[in-house]
Amino acid sequence: MKQLKYIKEISFCLGLLPVIGQATENKQEKRPNILFIMSDDHAVQAISAYGHSLSKLAPTPNIDRLAKQGALFTANYCGNSICGPSRAAILTGKHSHLNGFMQNSNKSFDGSQETLPKILQRNGYETAIVGKWHLISKPTGFDYWKILNDQGEYNNPDFITEKDTTRYPGYVTDLITDFTKEWLDHRDKEKPFFLMMHHKAPHRNWVPAERHYNIYDNTVFPLPENYFDDYEGRYAASHQKMNIYRDMYEGHDLKMVVSRGSDSLRFDPWPHVFMGKMTSDEKQRYRVAYREKNDLFFDLDQNDEKSVAIWKFQRYMQEYMATIKSVDESVGEILDYLDKNGLTDNTIVVYTTDQGFYLGEHGWFDKRFMYEESMIMPLLMRYPGKINPGKKVSKLTQNIDFAPTFLDYCGIEIPKEMQGVSFRPLLENKSVKNWRESLYYHYYEFPGFHSVRAHYGIKTDRYKLIHFYKENNWELFDLKSDPHEMNNISGRKGTEKITSKLKSELQRLQKHYEVPDEHCK
Ligand code: SGN
Ligand code: CA
């Protein structure tokens, strides 16, 4: 108070009072911009800020900037580990059964319902989305959208806008970055913005940018200790189809399309997905880049199943990590853009991905299971002056919390219908009492890609209880003694008390979140 009076007095003497008064007013009114960056299938194991041994060999320095300058969430989870459903939960703040988008194979997202961008738009924000959408219906609540068709393509992809569909020459991650910057250049500078930049990468089939074709050729990634998991005691795990050494396609996934000693194609099994949109010059350069490293595979004794399986893991990791390299470059470019344009201080920047992913754990790629690697989602968040640099948040948070949190930061009332809660207090060094102690999870897409059985379950800090309800099969894991979820202790002597506690908590959550009975049978 005293200080303000002092400033006013000086200003008055200098004749500056009206200007300073105005600046104070603007500052009070200024609401933050939100830049929401989401990639597709980017595992926490592949973000170096999380410290996993895999990521140390292929670091992500630009994404890490957000953790250094802001917060890193170490227990952020999704409620249904698959693309469309996670995106729908983020937009609505509701679990799948209420927002209606329960599986990728759903017809389309009901865009007439209330969503985060709609609320922000009504409250004076300019809203835009660039990149992967994957919810089939046209985006609603956005002043501008430029989205990929379905999953999108890595090379020379189509982008759809309200006006038309156009194919652009270039690599998808770079194009999304360029279009994002273009939108920022031309935005309405009188309004705060909410901008979603959604990368396709590093989604299957992991095609790197040409400049990164060979960057990890000489890197040997550490094999997860449970790579040769035998799935004992876990029925659903033993019936999946997402095993690196059994289920990956040699051409599409492992890029074994070039024969020994030549650059002619060995086979091109999924031309439209993989190489279809490359020009013939691009295909030629691709063959040259892969020929030599593919020869190394042919040198292996093909009957030596273990060596072949390990080779496949290395190839998978080299491709996956190389694809992430351009995502990290994109984040760097966008953060630099904010710096150069004076936007850094008033912009909340979020980096996340739609769900977690397996990088060889249990022998797998893909996601869907409620096990840790696919249920966990990376989350990094920077808001200078409001979130302390280097902050770690280890309380249980979920993708349904994103929308309420952003609304909270923008000073907009959170609709009661949203099921998530704002995690802003966790970022503000306040002591937070009564934070949730368990998370609900429900995966529906069976039958479907990778044959993961439908299941629901509950996760606490220490335990995970999963019900594969079609088979009435229960799994219980003690994450403290068994962090890799190898040992299903459901039904074992001594687990009666904890099982009944978790079961009643699970029932409470299903009631609380209004999960219809017919979804649990
Ligand atoms: C594609 C992939 C699958 C993946 C689904 C869903 N096959 O079908 O491996 O599980 O997408 O992914 S691909 O060879 O066509 O890439 S999601 O991230 O969109 O949910
Ligand atoms: Ca995904």
Side-chain angles (χ1 to χ4, degrees), residues 50-81:
Y50 280 95
H52 194 279
S53 55
L54 277 170
S55 64
K56 288 197 176 125
L57 298 169
T60 49
N62 291 302
I63 297 171
D64 293 0
R65 269 159 78 179
L66 294 173
K68 275 199 200 97
Q69 298 164 356
L72 182 80
F73 289 71
T74 56
N76 181 62
Y77 291 85
C78 60
N80 182 1
S81 175

Side-chain angles (χ1 to χ4, degrees), residues 413-419:
E413 201 182 331
I414 302 163
K416 287 194 185 58
E417 295 71 34
M418 283 194 177
Q419 298 187 308

Side-chain angles (χ1 to χ4, degrees), residues 467-474:
H467 190 206
F468 294 91
Y469 48 94
K470 299 272 183 199
E471 295 81 18
N472 193 21
N473 201 301
W474 290 89

Side-chain angles (χ1 to χ4, degrees), residues 286-300:
Y286 160 82
R287 287 170 197 165
V288 171
Y290 278 75
R291 189 180 51 215
E292 214 175 281
K293 53 179 170 178
N294 284 355
D295 281 352
L296 296 175
F297 175 76
F298 298 118
D299 290 342
L300 290 176

Side-chain angles (χ1 to χ4, degrees), residues 82-83 104 134 151 203-204 252 366-368 449-450:
I82 185 160
C83 180
N104 276 350
H134 206 201
Q151 292 282 5
H203 191 275
R204 190 182 183 190
H252 177 68
D366 215 67
K367 51 260 174 175
R368 297 161 194 268
F449 268 110
H450 304 297

